[in-house]
Amino acid sequence: MALKSRRKAKQPPSPQASVTDMFKNPKAAFPLALIFIDALLVALIIAFVPYTKIDWDAYMSQVTGYLKGQRDYSNLKGDTGPLVYPAGFLYVYSAIQYVTGGEVYPAQILFGMLYVTNLAIILVIYVKTDVLPWWALILLCLSKRVHSIFVLRLFNDCFAMTFLHASLALLLYQHWHLGLIFFSAAVSIKMNVLLYAPPLLLLMLKAMNITGLITALASAALVQILLGLPFLIAYPIEYVSSAFNLGRVFIHFWSVNFKFVPEPIFVSKKFAVSLLLGHLGLLAIFAHYRWCRHEGGVFKFLYSRVVSSKHGFGVSECSGSSLKILKADYIVTTMFCGNFIGIVCARSLHYQFYSWYFYSLPYLLWITPFPTLVRLIVFFGVELCWNVYPSNVYSSALLMCLHLIILLGLWLAPSKSPCAEDQISNKDR
C-alpha cells in the first residue's frame, strides 16, 4: 500500500488536474470575476455603441464568391480589394455567414462570445505563469481599441489571435503536437501569426526529440495543405501568391507606428529591407544572449542539438541526462518577446493589428526591471497612441518610443531558466 502511494506521488500532475487546481486557488476568483464583468461590458457595447462598417462587407463578398464555386484567388474580391488571407479565413467566415445570415448584429454577438473565450484563454496563461500580481490582470480588460476590434469591427485578426492563444496555452501543458495544429490553424486565418514562428521553433528544439520535431512540423504543414487543397489543385500559383504575399505595401495614411516617416521613405524597398534586417538581427541577438543564455548561446545550443540527434536527440542541457518540461514562464516569455520584436520592426501597423500584441503587454512589462509606476505609464501610453484617430506624427513617434522602452526593458530583464524541475515521459515528444 505504501509502495503504491509513493509511486502515485511521483507521477506528474495531468494537465486537467493542473487546470482544476488552478481554479481552486483563491486568486482564481479574481480572473473569473473579470471574465464575468467584461462579458457584461461587451454586451453593453454591442447593445448601445454603433457598429463601424470597415471590412465586413468585403469579407462577405469574398466568402460569397468562394461559396459560389470560385477557386481562383485572384477573382475573390471585395470592396477593399482582392482576398489576401489564407484559406482558413474563408472557412471561418463561411461558417459565420451561415450562422448569422451575413447580418452584422448576430455576428457581433458571435464575436462577443469569441472575445470572452479569448480573454479566458489569456487569463489561463497569465495564472499559469504567475508573473503579474492579481490586481494587474484587470489591465487585460481595459483596452477600448481591442473591444472595438472584436465587437465593432469584426476583424479576422480576432479569430487568428484566439487560435494563437489557444496554441500557447496548449504548449504550457506540453501538448506540442496539438499546439502546433492550433498554431497552423491560426496562420491559415492570418499570416501575422508567423511572427511567433522563430521563437516557437527554438522552443520545439529545446522540448522535443527529432522524431517529435519532424512529426509536429509535418502536422502543421498538413493543416495548411488540407485547408488550401481546393485552391492548390485548381489555381496553385494564384493561391500561394495571394494568400502568402510577404511583399505587400501598406498605405501610409493608415500606419499607426510609422506615420512620422515621410511617405516616400515609408513605401521604399530600402525601408522594408532595413526593417527586415533589423527584425532578423534582433531575433538573433535575443536568441543568443537571452533565450539560449543558459546553454551558452544559440550556436552552442544548436551544436549540442546536432550532436545529441546522433544519439536519438535524448540529452538535454537542462539535466544532462533526459528531456524536461519547459517552464511556463520561459515559454510565454520567449513567445511574447519574439512576437513583440516583430511588432517593433513591422513596416506598418493598422488599428486592428493592436490585437496582435495587446494581451502580451502586461506580461512583457512585468518581466522588465521597471518600477510598477513606469510599467503603468508605458501601458496606458501605448493604449493612448492606439486610440488617436487618425494617427499623426506625434502619436506614431510616441508609440515607437514606448515600444523601444519596452524592448530595452526586455533586454535588461533577468534571463529565465528554460527547464522545470519535474521530468515527464516522452509520450508527446
Side-chain angles (χ1 to χ4, degrees):
M1 190 72 174
L3 180 60
K4 289 183 178 179
S5 298
R6 285 195 298 270
R7 287 179 178 173
K8 186 175 182 179
K10 291 180 180 179
Q11 293 177 353
S14 67
Q16 293 81 5
S18 299
V19 173
T20 303
D21 292 341
M22 181 186 70
F23 283 102
K24 286 180 180 178
N25 191 317
K27 290 170 63 177
F30 188 71
L32 291 174
L34 286 179
I35 293 172
F36 177 75
I37 295 171
D38 211 356
L40 289 179
L41 177 60
V42 167
L44 292 173
I45 292 172
I46 294 172
F48 297 106
V49 181
Y51 161 76
T52 306
K53 182 186 291 187
I54 298 181
D55 284 349
W56 176 256
D57 289 345
Y59 290 170
M60 292 298 101
S61 297
Q62 293 159 353
V63 163
T64 299
Y66 160 70
L67 293 176
K68 287 182 177 179
Q70 181 60 257
R71 297 296 179 264
D72 184 347
Y73 244 60
S74 61
N75 290 329
L76 292 173
K77 299 179 180 179
D79 56 13
T80 59
L83 178 59
V84 294
Y85 309 123
F89 160 84
L90 284 175
Y91 303 137
V92 168
Y93 277 83
S94 294
I96 294 173
Q97 188 186 75
Y98 176 79
V99 171
T100 66
E103 298 295 325
V104 168
Y105 183 70
Q108 285 184 280
I109 296 174
L110 182 63
F111 271 79
M113 297 168 61
L114 179 69
Y115 175 91
V116 175
T117 301
N118 180 61
L119 177 61
I121 295 171
I122 283 292
L123 287 170
V124 168
I125 293 171
Y126 272 82
V127 173
K128 176 70 173 174
T129 54
D130 198 26
V131 168
L132 264 66
W134 64 269
W135 61 266
L137 294 175
I138 197 173
L139 298 175
L140 298 167
C141 306
L142 295 183
S143 175
K144 176 184 176 181
R145 178 60 65 185
V146 170
H147 281 92
S148 174
I149 290 169
F150 270 82
V151 298
L152 298 180
R153 270 71 173 180
L154 314 181
F155 286 120
N156 63 327
D157 307 73
C158 306
F159 276 93
M161 295 313 298
T162 300
F163 272 95
L164 183 277
H165 294 147
S167 169
L168 180 53
L170 287 167
L171 298 186
L172 298 187
Y173 292 101
Q174 308 302 310
H175 292 303
W176 291 90
H177 286 78
L178 187 57
L180 262 289
I181 290 173
F182 270 74
F183 180 85
S184 187
V187 172
S188 77
I189 299 172
K190 195 158 188 177
M191 271 206 314
N192 70 282
V193 178
L194 288 175
L195 292 177
Y196 283 93
L200 176 57
L201 178 60
L202 179 64
L203 292 173
M204 292 171 65
L205 287 169
K206 287 176 177 278
M208 308 177 78
N209 61 27
I210 188 64
T211 302
L213 181 66
I214 292 173
T215 55
L217 292 175
S219 299
L222 184 60
V223 170
Q224 294 299 321
I225 294 172
L226 291 177
L227 292 177
L229 195 59
F231 310 98
L232 290 170
I233 292 175
Y235 298 93
I237 296 177
E238 289 79 1
Y239 175 67
V240 174
S241 61
S242 298
F244 299 96
N245 182 6
L246 298 175
R248 293 171 59 197
V249 179
F250 293 100
I251 300 173
H252 182 255
F253 175 81
W254 292 112
S255 177
V256 179
N257 59 329
F258 278 123
K259 200 66 170 287
F260 63 90
V261 174
E263 187 170 3
I265 297 176
F266 177 84
V267 299
S268 68
K269 191 171 183 179
K270 289 183 178 180
F271 184 61
V273 172
S274 299
L275 290 173
L276 177 60
L277 293 176
H279 184 192
L280 296 176
L282 283 171
L283 284 175
I285 291 171
F286 269 79
H288 185 72
Y289 292 103
R290 310 299 300 168
W291 306 332
C292 292
R293 182 174 181 177
H294 289 266
E295 293 87 358
V298 67
F299 299 109
K300 185 176 180 180
F301 165 71
L302 292 176
Y303 176 75
S304 70
R305 293 292 83 190
V306 172
V307 172
S308 61
S309 67
K310 298 178 181 180
H311 304 285
F313 218 72
V315 178
S316 170
E317 289 78 4
C318 302
S319 64
S321 60
S322 61
L323 292 169
K324 285 190 173 185
I325 300 175
L326 294 183
K327 292 168 61 176
D329 61 344
Y330 179 79
I331 293 174
V332 176
T333 297
T334 305
M335 290 286 279
F336 279 170
C337 186
N339 177 67
F340 184 74
I341 289 172
I343 294 294
V344 173
C345 298
R347 186 175 185 178
S348 183
L349 296 176
H350 293 182
Y351 284 98
Q352 65 268 35
F353 297 0
Y354 190 31
S355 62
W356 296 2
Y357 77 110
F358 164 75
Y359 287 106
S360 69
L361 279 177
Y363 186 97
L364 294 175
L365 286 168
W366 253 262
I367 63 174
T368 68
F370 300 149
T372 297
L373 179 60
V374 173
R375 294 166 178 163
L376 292 174
I377 291 173
V378 172
F379 176 85
F380 287 109
V382 171
E383 176 70 18
L384 174 65
C385 293
W386 280 97
N387 282 283
V388 174
Y389 178 83
S391 61
N392 54 55
V393 171
Y394 304 106
S395 65
S396 63
L398 176 60
L399 181 63
M400 179 56 65
C401 289
L402 293 172
H403 282 174
L404 293 177
I405 289 172
I406 297 172
L407 191 64
L408 175 62
L410 295 175
W411 178 255
L412 297 175
S415 61
K416 295 183 178 296
S417 174
C419 291
E421 294 297 325
D422 298 325
Q423 294 185 4
I424 60 170
S425 67
N426 290 334
K427 62 181 180 180
D428 194 33
R429 304 292 192 180

